[in-house]
Amino acid sequence: MGGQAGVPAMIDAQAARRGVFHIGGPHTSYLFRVSRYGHLEHVYWGPSVATSDADALAVKPPTDGYQVAYADDDATYSLDVLPQEWSGLGKGDYRMPAAELKMPDGSFTTDFRYVDYEVTDGVAPCQDGLPSAHESKHPATTLRIGLADGDVALDLYYTVFACCDVVVRRAVLRNGSGEPVVIRRLMSQLVDLPNRAYDLVTFDGTWAAEAHRHVRPLAPGTYVNESLTGFSSNRHNPAVILATRGASEDHGECFAFNLVYSGNHHTAVELSRRNFVRVVSGINPVGFEWTLAPGEQFETPEAVLAYSRDGFDGLSGVLHAFTRDHILPQDWAEADRPVVVNTWESAMFDVNERTVLAQARAGKRVGAELVVLDDGWFTGRQSDHAGLGDYGVDAKKFPHGLGWLGQRVREQGMRFGIWVEPEMVNPDSALYREHPDWAITAPGRQPSLHRHQLVLDVSREDVRDYLVEKVSAVIDESGAEYVKWDCNRNLTDVPAGDLPHRYILGLYDVLRRIFGPRPHVLLESCASGGNRFDLGMLCFSPQIWASDCTDPVERLAIQDGLSHCYPPSTMGAHVTASPSQQTLRATPLSTRFNVAAFGVLGYEFDLATLSFAGRRDVAAQIAFYKAHRHTLQHGRFRRVPATSPDHVVWTAAGALETVVGHYQTRTRASQPPGVLAIPVLEPTRRYRVTSRPQTIGLDELGHLLAFVLPRWLNPEGVLVRTASRFYRLPDAAETYEATGVALATLAPLPQFEGTADRAHTRLWGDHGSTLYVVEPAS
Ligand code: GLA
């Protein structure tokens, strides 16, 4: 690519002067050009090519007598078959538009055409309070394309980063006319791709079952992945992937689309006539309306477009690096996150000084680092019926106050963290009684409650000021170094079409004002689990509570789904009691840890009740996690194709080691010999593979103790019950030494089948699992 003084060679400056725009990532090219009528014609997106390839690559649009010609004397040019970068309504392109605007003349017809371009170093962050991808140690370059339709101007921004194959796009609309423009839809990006038999992959679910991966072939028509809840939602994560049919973890082309946004989102994928695929993404136009007064501008959130030719794993590699380097707050992006103990699943609302200090003490004994006081600590909060909005501490539960509590926790060698749900209010609260108008309601309608609460209108400045003051005071008084910021209901009774977006802008303002001056505070956002797991929140909170479901078998699907687009360091993952509070499924302590270890680890059961043996086990888990924490949180995460549908394999590779998790979701009788495929490291180098020592409780084995102990003992007897408090049976220990290429088909020990040679049998059963560490053999 040609260089221009001061501009890194990521945008071909010479070609840009000719109206050909070649944006280059490390391994990719994104090419478009100005058409003969001034529209932006999309040319190519894929592995790196030369700018001079544009003519050869550009789709030669078919011409038929049926399509609308843009100009009467030029039947070969129709917007309906031109691959584009932007398109409106009313000029013969009948595919999904990027914009639906009521123009100053009152019509919905728009035709934005090229005016100019500009290339600048660095990013071009949003000006109106939306979070933006930031520059880091890796430089960025931004291309602005100016378009106009009469007095209404549209700037399209493209930012490209030196480190990863991502293009960040957004649009800014400016009303230079003397009349208002009404925006009903303004997408962040539009792109037209020739169809190459794509599958569409989405991450869908509901409360406690977020981000399950779904794949469907594209079929003629439009598929919309969207949220209308007010937030990015647990129903459909904003990230979607187009993948060539049959793409695997390692092979196939994958295109990802995501938004740096936490509100109602919309990505439409249209397979149109003549086999084009149009993808538009941005704020959901349903229920949206924004009036742009003369002289005003409107900015869309950023859209993130990522590409890999190396399958889903290749794409995840790109997106994980991008999220780490350009989305997460820089102070936390690569910092090791603390192991927390959270009071919620053990105490629920029944928290007090004693419970918190007991968890702090018990947490300290097993090596945890921070105790989180979850819901239930403020005035009137005995249940979810009352108290939200009032952040004065409940003096009965905490007679010495939060400052004292934080100090006592620190004296025990633990750090202190606290839960808040600032965007919400219970009608039964002092705040609501004083300011009923602060809750979002539609005039003349009885507002709908959810979890007995209403949503505060954070688009209002007075509400924001209140929240900033209250939450800041809680943090400063208690010395909290971690905040769990919850949001436990969706929007209803929205009084106007601009409110949902103004709400999200207000939320970002509050977060910026509270946490900007307190960069040492680790923010974990949460919305009934993963109801707001998106790149917008990740700009403020480096980790998000991935799901209220902590059953490890369910978590395998949730964390696996999320891992397609978000790195493990963003996923809060806790070990809780068995059976699970969400599913009643009983699972081994080892598996609860082995799954949570591939995220930001915490514990959320009463650690003070652990037996001697349980405590030893949990302490060993935490010691293992800390020893490999950087690899598990920040290493290169991979989903390894498992050899059976009942198995899941994850790996995280650091500079010096790889941690492997091998999980069985259910067992089967007479299984074939297992294979554990550890992705080839250096093929000829020798590695040592060591399983993490783990145990199984005597009580979990019941009458099968007879198979694994030298003599029969009554499983219900006092001896076994007493012994199980002090002793747990070690599972088989595995060590192997082999070359990297051999590890791709490693044969692990067989599983328990009754006649166990215990030293050489993995005691797995349903939901069994093992972690391994792979290091170079010295
Ligand atoms: C939500 C969160 C939980 C917990 C409760 C407290 O459900 O997801 O982790 O904090 O609220 O009410």
Side-chain angles (χ1 to χ4, degrees):
M1 279 188 212
Q4 181 180 296
V7 177
M10 289 186 282
I11 290 169
D12 185 335
Q14 270 170 17
R17 280 184 224 117
R18 289 183 276 113
V20 178
F21 301 99
H22 182 181
I23 302 171
H27 316 95
T28 46
S29 290
Y30 187 102
L31 259 166
F32 60 96
R33 62 187 181 187
V34 180
S35 78
R36 60 182 178 276
Y37 291 102
H39 302 108
L40 295 184
E41 176 193 358
H42 177 83
V43 173
Y44 173 83
W45 181 20
S48 301
V49 291
T51 313
S52 54
D53 292 336
D55 283 338
L57 288 165
V59 170
K60 316 295 178 285
T63 312
D64 63 43
Y66 182 66
Q67 64 209 15
V68 173
Y70 181 74
D72 194 32
D73 55 354
D74 190 350
T76 61
Y77 190 92
S78 170
L79 292 176
D80 211 21
V81 284
L82 184 75
Q84 291 172 78
E85 290 284 303
W86 190 262
S87 185
L89 278 176
K91 296 304 293 175
D93 181 354
Y94 298 107
R95 295 170 289 179
M96 188 67 75
E100 186 186 343
L101 308 174
K102 192 166 178 192
M103 295 293 272
D105 63 3
S107 102
F108 284 93
T109 295
T110 55
D111 187 18
F112 285 96
R113 290 190 291 163
Y114 181 73
V115 177
D116 62 359
Y117 82 95
E118 187 185 2
V119 177
T120 47
D121 283 346
V123 293
C126 299
Q127 303 296 312
D128 67 357
L130 282 167
S132 307
H134 54 71
E135 223 175 346
S136 61
K137 53 192 180 220
H138 308 290
T141 305
T142 298
L143 167 68
R144 180 191 63 79
I145 300 286
L147 307 174
D149 182 350
D151 293 330
V152 182
L154 179 71
D155 283 334
L156 303 184
Y157 286 89
Y158 298 79
T159 300
V160 61
F161 300 90
C163 68
C164 42
D165 290 299
V166 164
V167 178
V168 170
R169 291 187 55 179
R170 71 190 171 94
V172 180
L173 190 76
R174 275 178 287 117
N175 183 4
S177 81
E179 300 294 324
V181 170
V182 179
I183 305 172
R184 290 188 174 177
R185 155 196 294 256
L186 190 71
M187 292 289 111
S188 301
Q189 71 84 29
L190 173 151
V191 68
D192 286 326
L193 308 169
N195 187 18
R196 307 254 189 269
Y198 293 124
D199 283 334
L200 176 65
V201 185
T202 57
F203 302 94
D204 317 276
T206 182
W207 174 76
E210 298 86 343
H212 285 242
R213 172 185 145 132
H214 294 102
V215 184
R216 82 257 321 131
L218 277 193
T222 303
Y223 186 95
V224 179
N225 183 72
E226 66 178 350
S227 163
L228 277 170
T229 63
F231 305 121
S232 48
S233 94
N234 50 33
R235 294 153 195 243
H236 308 288
N237 192 274
V240 308
I241 298 172
L242 275 186
T244 42
R245 193 136 317 136
S248 64
E249 287 293 341
D250 302 327
H251 298 288
E253 282 195 292
C254 289
F255 302 82
F257 300 85
N258 204 350
L259 289 167
V260 186
Y261 194 56
S262 311
N264 289 336
H265 62 83
H266 168 100
T267 295
V269 182
E270 178 178 10
L271 178 58
S272 62
R273 69 189 196 98
R274 302 298 193 134
N275 214 23
F276 283 107
V277 179
R278 170 165 291 184
V279 186
V280 299
S281 39
I283 296 175
N284 198 330
V286 176
F288 177 82
E289 189 179 72
W290 190 283
T291 302
L292 206 57
E296 283 185 350
Q297 67 170 36
F298 182 86
E299 293 187 285
T300 71
E302 290 184 334
V304 174
L305 284 69
Y307 173 85
S308 172
R309 70 193 300 183
D310 299 322
F312 294 105
D313 172 61
L315 186 71
S316 297
V318 171
L319 288 168
H320 291 187
F322 169 75
T323 306
R324 180 192 64 220
D325 293 342
H326 301 292
I327 293 289
L328 301 185
Q330 277 173 299
D331 285 341
W332 287 101
E334 291 185 79
D336 290 348
R337 317 282 172 70
V339 177
V340 305
V341 181
N342 179 298
T343 56
W344 177 244
E345 280 207 21
S346 57
M348 309 295 276
F349 295 97
D350 202 10
V351 283
N352 54 40
E353 283 178 1
R354 203 172 31 76
T355 52
V356 175
L357 293 175
Q359 292 311 306
R361 229 179 351 262
K364 177 72 187 165
R365 284 181 81 176
V366 290
E369 295 155 312
L370 190 149
V371 66
V372 183
L373 169 54
D374 208 285
D375 201 351
W377 61 265
F378 43 85
T379 333
R381 195 69 176 159
Q382 309 302 336
S383 71
D384 58 10
H385 284 73
L388 282 177
D390 302 339
Y391 289 98
V393 70
D394 182 324
K396 282 213 194 80
K397 295 175 175 177
F398 298 94
H400 298 90
L402 288 181
W404 179 90
L405 185 67
Q407 187 52 32
R408 287 290 90 74
V409 166
R410 283 186 286 282
E411 282 166 14
Q412 293 186 4
M414 293 281 275
R415 292 190 269 153
F416 182 67
I418 198 155
W419 176 96
V420 287
E421 193 180 350
E423 298 155 72
M424 303 290 157
V425 65
N426 287 118
D428 186 0
S429 66
L431 180 72
Y432 186 77
R433 282 184 280 275
E434 198 179 332
H435 296 288
D437 55 320
W438 282 11
I440 294 178
T441 55
R445 289 182 192 280
Q446 184 62 28
S448 301
L449 292 171
H450 177 196
R451 213 191 187 209
H452 320 288
Q453 63 200 55
L454 295 169
V455 184
L456 287 173
D457 184 356
V458 296
S459 74
R460 289 174 62 136
E461 204 175 343
D462 48 3
V463 173
R464 295 204 297 276
D465 290 348
Y466 172 83
L467 296 182
V468 170
E469 188 202 311
K470 283 289 175 190
V471 178
S472 302
V474 167
I475 296 173
D476 296 344
E477 189 196 335
S478 64
E481 293 171 75
Y482 162 108
V483 169
K484 180 174 170 191
W485 181 292
D486 214 335
C487 168
N488 282 317
R489 65 158 288 179
N490 295 323
L491 297 191
T492 58
D493 303 288
V494 171
D498 60 352
L499 184 111
H501 182 58
R502 289 193 196 280
Y503 180 99
I504 296 296
L505 293 176
L507 168 65
Y508 293 146
D509 177 57
V510 170
L511 292 174
R512 203 172 274 123
R513 284 164 63 190
I514 296 173
F515 296 100
R518 298 173 181 80
H520 65 284
V521 177
L522 172 59
L523 174 62
E524 175 157 341
S525 73
C526 169
S528 307
N531 196 35
R532 210 161 52 181
F533 203 113
D534 58 67
L535 294 176
M537 290 311 287
L538 287 174
C539 287
F540 301 93
S541 70
Q543 56 194 61
I544 297 178
W545 181 227
S547 176
D548 273 356
C549 187
T550 49
D551 174 327
V553 180
E554 299 299 311
R555 274 290 184 128
L556 283 173
I558 296 168
Q559 292 174 214
D560 203 271
L562 288 172
S563 76
H564 283 76
C565 301
Y566 308 96
S569 72
T570 62
M571 300 175 208
H574 293 179
V575 175
T576 54
S578 174
S580 156
Q581 263 187 32
Q582 295 81 32
T583 60
L584 201 62
R585 183 186 277 133
T587 52
L589 178 60
S590 52
T591 292
R592 281 174 270 148
F593 168 74
N594 294 346
V595 174
F598 277 86
V600 180
L601 178 70
Y603 285 77
E604 199 166 326
F605 64 90
D606 188 353
L607 291 179
T609 62
L610 277 172
S611 67
F612 175 81
R615 195 161 59 231
R616 201 170 43 200
D617 242 37
V618 169
Q621 292 178 345
I622 295 179
F624 176 91
Y625 185 77
K626 286 177 173 172
H628 305 283
R629 164 161 49 188
H630 202 73
T631 303
L632 287 161
Q633 292 181 355
H634 304 287
R636 172 71 166 87
F637 175 85
R638 287 198 159 86
R639 301 165 299 272
V640 181
T643 47
S644 116
D646 303 321
H647 286 189
V648 173
V649 180
W650 290 339
T651 66
L656 303 171
E657 60 173 11
T658 297
V659 181
V660 180
H662 188 194
Y663 310 93
Q664 174 163 274
T665 50
R666 68 164 176 163
T667 191
R668 288 173 192 268
S670 296
Q671 299 203 22
V675 178
L676 174 57
I678 299 175
V680 176
L681 303 149
E682 285 179 46
T684 53
R685 189 164 185 181
R686 283 194 83 70
Y687 293 92
R688 193 176 40 253
V689 181
T690 318
S691 63
R692 182 183 78 83
Q694 65 185 28
T695 63
I696 182 165
L698 301 181
D699 41 354
E700 289 169 64
L701 281 166
H703 72 279
L704 294 176
L705 273 178
F707 288 89
V708 292
L709 291 183
R711 52 176 288 230
W712 187 86
L713 289 176
N714 178 1
E716 302 296 331
V718 180
L719 190 58
V720 169
R721 270 195 276 131
T722 311
S724 65
R725 295 195 52 76
F726 295 96
Y727 177 74
R728 291 167 61 89
L729 272 177
D731 199 350
E734 294 172 88
T735 47
Y736 308 95
E737 218 180 280
T739 53
V741 75
L743 294 185
T745 49
L746 181 70
L749 289 178
Q751 296 189 35
F752 179 85
E753 287 186 40
T755 50
D757 163 7
R758 196 162 65 75
H760 300 103
T761 304
R762 287 180 295 164
L763 296 171
W764 267 23
D766 278 348
H767 330 313
S769 66
T770 306
L771 293 188
Y772 301 88
V773 177
V774 184
E775 296 155 303
S778 45

